[in-house]
Amino acid sequence: MTLPDSPPRRPLWQRSAETAMGLCLAVMAVAVFLNVVLRYGFGSGVAASEELSRLLFVWMVFIGATAAYPLGEHMAFTTLLRPLEHRSPRLLSLMSRLIHLLVVASCVMIAWGSWQQIVVGMDSPSVVIGYPMALLPLPAFLCATAIAVMALIDVVRNKPIDFGHEADIE
């Protein structure tokens, strides 16, 4: 009797990101559920649950976006590049580098804008819980910085655009 092959072990960063997103989702679900039960069942509620859920949702989205980039799970217009794969590998390589550089440029703009919001939010507390409002744009800054670094590495390594997951999407 042979045992089925176990799936390959995922890297620590991926498991950590999935755990962080799961914790955010769990806390959000409990907070909202508790607030709904208290509000409709007992006529009261926890004012902090909405604010906490909003903050955790923002963090969960940007953790997920950061974790999706190295896996090639962001939207890609591979249909435009597919004809270059066999006809002109050199042009495909050039287009791949251009795409990675455009990712870096967009990340720089996102990081710059979110950094400005972080600076503004440092001295502003949230209304109910009182956490610094800088915690809301912080995950956008961290995500944009991480993706920009990964995209720069892809430019240096001349990493080709991944066509492997096209069947899942199209």
Side-chain angles (χ1 to χ4, degrees):
M1 180 172 137
T2 61
L3 295 173
D5 291 335
S6 61
R9 188 169 166 90
R10 295 182 324 277
L12 177 62
W13 64 265
Q14 187 179 6
R15 293 191 316 262
S16 300
E18 290 169 355
T19 301
M21 289 186 299
L23 288 172
C24 287
L25 186 61
V27 171
M28 284 172 24
V30 168
V32 170
F33 177 76
L34 181 64
N35 197 35
V36 168
V37 169
L38 288 174
R39 186 172 291 159
Y40 293 108
F42 301 100
S44 68
V46 179
S49 73
E50 291 179 28
E51 206 170 81
L52 178 64
S53 295
R54 185 181 316 115
L55 178 66
L56 290 175
F57 182 74
V58 170
W59 276 88
M60 184 178 66
V61 166
F62 283 107
I63 291 169
T66 306
Y69 185 81
L71 300 174
E73 293 179 351
H74 280 276
M75 182 172 46
F77 298 101
T78 54
T79 306
L80 301 173
L81 297 175
R82 173 73 67 192
L84 300 175
E85 188 175 22
H86 299 293
R87 289 186 191 155
S88 178
R90 188 171 176 176
L91 184 57
L92 178 62
S93 173
L94 181 68
M95 291 301 292
S96 294
R97 282 188 173 189
L98 177 64
I99 289 168
H100 293 309
L101 287 171
L102 289 171
V103 168
V104 171
S106 63
C107 285
V108 166
M109 288 186 276
I110 291 169
W112 176 249
S114 57
W115 178 254
Q116 291 174 331
Q117 291 299 309
I118 289 169
V119 171
V120 168
M122 290 290 245
D123 298 325
S124 303
S126 68
V127 177
V128 179
I129 299 176
Y131 62 80
M133 290 301 289
L135 288 178
L136 277 170
L138 180 62
F141 175 78
L142 296 173
C143 173
T145 304
I147 290 176
V149 168
M150 289 184 275
L152 277 174
I153 292 170
D154 290 345
V155 169
V156 170
R157 291 183 179 168
N158 197 18
K159 181 182 176 192
I161 297 297
D162 183 17
F163 293 112
H165 50 278
E166 191 171 314
D168 296 341
I169 298 169
E170 293 184 44

